[in-house]
């Protein structure tokens, strides 16, 4: 029995979908534990490309996907995703925690309104209602899956919540009417559709552990978007680090075996906020174009920069990463220069940790080490020794600087373009 965890170590989009698909082979349950449909996880199998936002990536391998209590769930999007997968001959097996909080229409409207209000100080959210939904959870105004499948309970909650939201709408000058009757009808119908999937998933997961079944936990976003350890306030509203997986599933930390940190061979970020190694030159353009760096969820271009090992170290320490999956190494093909940031210079002082204060982060100038370049990694390479010598050195350099072994190297989006070390 193993409980393994996959998390992003940067600003999301590290290739978690592909890595989860790879490790799903051996899993019985594949579990999302935080975030919502702000995530976009891509899995490429031969010519088929799947982009999942809510459903755990393991369903593509035919595994049971579990949506844990820590997730915020947009039932409309979930139902769409289920229907789309069915059209593609995948009938996803799912379990949804009855404690999962529901993203309501007013959450999505407020996400947009808050961003508009912030103007140039906006976070650059995905506008999926994630922040407002988590805010309601913490302030105890949330609606959970168990309310959605019980119309009376949903009615009572809406009676309480809708008048409050109306007042907030007024404060933001939002000219949209919240129709309680319509919301009740629509969301009770959603509840009817998803009822068959709901369960006390923490009981199911702990039973599976007792029965020696393997569980794979699928993180969304990345450490630098964590609400505590990311570039706050330019962060998401959940705990993306390993600790979040225990809260979001009801699995004890003592049960987790491997923590697999996904590291993209360079750095990207969507949305606002500091990105110390960001490039605005031909190298940034190369990474953006060759890496097809456009958001899976919002199609926004991702900002690109050199690999930042201060960030990766920060992540590996906080989450206790035991092995690294290095992705998108092929994107560095053909460059005439490769740099990796190993420290920051802040007002002339060298530091190797990530500052807490955003004003300090903005002052950080990356200190780089330059590494050897290579021409091209052949798609068919299946072992470390057949990689270009310089690419091997790049891998060894990261391992040495971070002190965590790299056990998987991804050299293309496809399922087979993966090297096990
Ligand atoms: P996630 O959010 O961490 O699951 O990552 P996304 O799916 O949003 O973005 C990663 C993108 O890179 C997807 O389009 C993947 O198909 C693609 N990808 C993953 N691994 C590799 C790789 O090793 N090389 C290349 N070129 N693309 C990759
Ligand atoms: P995956 O799982 C990259 C970013 C948004 C924004 C910030 C807050 O695919 O890696 P939110 O809508 O969560 O309130 O937005 O977080 N963001 C992501 N960036 N990958 C993601 O998910 C992201 N999910 C949220 O762009 O900067
Ligand atoms: Mg993504």
């Amino acid at each position: 029995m193993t409980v393994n965890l996959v998390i992003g170590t940067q600003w999301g989009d590290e290739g978690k979908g592909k890595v989860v698909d790879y490790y799903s082979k051996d899993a019985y349950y594949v579990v999302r534990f935080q975030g919502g449909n702000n995530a976009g996880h891509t899995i490429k199998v031969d010519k088929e490309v799947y982009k999942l936002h809510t459903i755990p990536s393991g369903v593509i391998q035919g595994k049971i996907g579990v949506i844990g209590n820590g997730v915020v769930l947009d039932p409309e999007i979930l139902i769409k995703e289920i229907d789309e997968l069915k059209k593609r001959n995948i009938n996803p097996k799912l379990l949804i925690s009855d404690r999962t909080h529901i993203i309501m229409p007013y959450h999505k409207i407020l996400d947009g309104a808050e961003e508009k209000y912030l103007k140039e100080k906006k976070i650059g959210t995905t506008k999926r209602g994630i922040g407002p939904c988590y805010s309601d959870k913490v302030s105890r105004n949330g609606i959970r899956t168990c309310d959605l499948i019980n119309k009376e309970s949903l009615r009572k909650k809406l009676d309480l919540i809708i008048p409050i939201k109306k007042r907030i709408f007024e404060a933001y000058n939002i000219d949209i009417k919240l129709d309680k009757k319509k919301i009740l009808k629509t969301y009770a119908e959603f509840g009817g559709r998803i009822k068959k999937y709901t369960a006390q998933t923490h009981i199911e997961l702990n039973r599976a552990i007792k029965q020696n079944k393997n569980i794979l936990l699928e993180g969304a976003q990345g450490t630098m978007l964590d609400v505590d350890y990311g570039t706050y306030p330019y962060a998401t509203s959940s705990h993306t680090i390993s600790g979040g997986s225990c809260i979001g599933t009801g699995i004890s930390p003592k049960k987790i075996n491997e923590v697999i940190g996904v590291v993209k061979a360079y750095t990207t970020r969507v949305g606002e906020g500091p990105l110390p190694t960001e490039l605005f030159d031909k190298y940034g353009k190369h990474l953006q174009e060759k890496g097809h760096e456009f958001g899976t969820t919002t199609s926004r271009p991702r900002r690109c920069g050199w690999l930042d090992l201060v960030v990766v170290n920060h992540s590996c320490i906080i989450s206790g990463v035991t092995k690294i999956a290095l992705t998108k190494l092929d994107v560095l093909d053909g460059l005439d220069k490769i740099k990796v940031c190993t420290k920051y210079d802040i007002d002339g002082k060298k530091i190797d940790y990530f500052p807490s204060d955003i004003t300090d982060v903005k002052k950080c100038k990356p200190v780089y080490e330059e590494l050897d370049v290579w021409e091209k990694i052949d798609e068919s390479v299946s072992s470390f020794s057949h990689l270009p010598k310089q690419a091997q050195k790049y891998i060894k350099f990261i391992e040495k600087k971070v002190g965590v072994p790299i056990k998987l190297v991804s050299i293309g989006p496809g399922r087979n373009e993966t090297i096990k070390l």
Side-chain angles (χ1 to χ4, degrees), residues 93-158:
K93 290 181 261 175
L94 289 175
L95 281 183
I96 302 170
S97 166
D98 55 359
R99 294 167 193 244
T100 302
H101 277 254
I102 300 296
I103 300 175
M104 299 297 289
Y106 45 80
H107 291 140
K108 294 182 253 191
I109 297 166
L110 282 171
D111 198 349
E114 285 167 10
E115 285 283 273
K116 196 171 157 202
Y117 174 77
L118 287 169
K119 293 198 183 106
E120 72 285 352
K121 289 200 174 67
K122 70 175 194 277
I123 308 297
T125 74
T126 59
K127 297 192 183 153
R128 298 300 191 263
I130 307 295
C133 184
Y134 275 118
S135 301
D136 271 358
K137 170 179 175 170
V138 178
S139 59
R140 294 154 298 185
N141 278 320
I143 288 174
R144 305 192 292 174
T145 313
C146 55
D147 304 313
L148 213 61
I149 59 178
N150 176 342
K151 197 168 178 186
E152 221 16 67
S153 166
L154 182 60
R155 185 196 313 277
K156 279 188 193 148
K157 291 239 161 164
L158 289 175

Side-chain angles (χ1 to χ4, degrees), residues 162-207:
I162 298 277
I164 303 172
K165 297 301 172 197
K166 281 188 173 162
R167 287 188 170 198
I168 301 171
F169 272 34
E170 272 168 35
Y172 277 115
N173 273 326
I174 300 170
D175 192 20
I176 300 174
K177 280 233 156 20
L178 281 177
D179 183 339
K180 197 167 68 188
K181 264 195 187 156
K182 199 170 151 201
I183 295 174
L184 177 64
K185 185 173 177 292
T186 312
Y187 281 73
E189 276 170 18
F190 289 152
R193 271 280 318 257
I194 66 173
K195 190 175 176 182
K196 64 175 178 189
Y197 301 116
T198 58
Q200 294 235 50
T201 52
H202 61 287
I203 297 179
E204 287 298 326
L205 292 170
N206 283 293
R207 187 181 296 138

Side-chain angles (χ1 to χ4, degrees), residues 12-18 40-44 51 264 290-293 296 302 327-331 410-413 417:
D13 304 325
E14 298 89 349
K16 297 175 294 294
K18 172 174 170 167
H41 295 178
T42 316
I43 300 115
K44 186 168 181 276
K51 291 178 188 293
K264 197 185 277 195
K290 192 154 174 16
H292 303 290
E293 294 297 352
T296 311
R302 296 175 183 146
T327 60
K328 304 194 93 162
L329 190 62
D330 55 298
V331 176
S410 174
I411 53 163
E417 291 162 305

